[in-house]
Amino acid sequence: MASVLGQMRPGFTTTVDKMKLLSSHASGLVIPLGPFSRIKRSHAFAVSCRLSSNKDFAVPRRGAIAFIFSSFILSHPDLRDAAFAQSVGFREYVDTFDGYSLKYPQNWIQVRGAGADIFFRDPLVLDENLSVEISSPSSSRYKSVEDLGPPEEAGKKVLRQYLTEFMSTRLGVRRESRILTTTSRTADDGKLYYQVEVNIKSYANNNELAVMPQDRVARLEWDRRYLSVLGVENNRLYELRLQTPEKVFAEEENDIREVMDSFRVNKVVA
């Protein structure tokens, strides 16, 4: 597992699933901002996705229209801010083959080939995404998430893994990181889960090849929050990872935490 204990890897912003076009020619028309994701082919027989809120609204050429509408929203700051200020609906993703389930914003799209077991991202804010990492069944024998130690110790391992993944060979790149919170909770399934939140900032010099230090001015490249939920089942370690810019997190914390609270690890029936 490219996950915790030296084998972990990283990864929403609340965008609006549906918006009404404020036009007399399109009054009442609802256009989804992005196509709904499909389950991965390899698990098609075992994975089910279903809406936990409203049903899809059928729109001809949905993908093309969604792209045009998304571009329109992004080009108008007033409409974009209004969109981000609202909450979205969620879809439920259930993987009975690997044994986990979660909710994700229903306008997010699935990205294949990302290296994780599953990967979804916001179609408008590309820095917002979630993924699930699972340890190898042949090399892990976890009995409980407590095998990682207390939450504080697990948090240190999570942060170290993130920093390893973000190592850069570019000159003048510097990372600043800190652990924000480490907690444990028992969910309604009776299982113990750890939650870890870290902040990582990336700085880079505007002229890394400059000879004089005063000509190498560090600037902030990105400032992100990474949130992990860790659980154990089937002798395997599961990690839900969420990535979001700090500014977006401040606006959409409730939705992000709903996704975190929805994560469950389930027994796989052989």
Side-chain angles (χ1 to χ4, degrees), residues 231-251:
V232 168
E233 185 58 274
N234 307 304
N235 297 323
R236 306 173 74 182
L237 177 64
Y238 296 74
E239 181 188 17
L240 168 66
R241 289 184 159 196
L242 296 112
Q243 170 186 300
T244 181
E246 279 290 351
K247 290 183 179 179
V248 175
F249 177 81
E251 300 173 356

Side-chain angles (χ1 to χ4, degrees), residues 21-93:
L21 289 179
L22 305 179
S23 168
S24 58
H25 298 289
S27 178
L29 178 62
V30 179
I31 301 177
L33 293 182
F36 291 127
S37 307
R38 297 181 180 179
I39 58 177
K40 51 188 175 185
R41 296 177 182 175
S42 61
H43 296 172
F45 67 96
V47 180
S48 66
C49 289
R50 58 181 178 272
L51 277 173
S52 62
S53 54
N54 297 330
K55 296 183 178 179
D56 297 1
F57 185 87
V59 179
R61 299 181 179 86
R62 183 171 56 191
I65 294 177
F67 176 78
I68 295 172
F69 187 58
S70 299
S71 300
F72 174 78
I73 290 294
L74 287 175
S75 64
H76 292 72
D78 53 339
L79 292 180
R80 182 186 61 211
D81 294 343
F84 291 161
Q86 301 181 40
S87 181
V88 299
F90 293 88
R91 300 189 78 189
E92 185 176 23
Y93 183 88

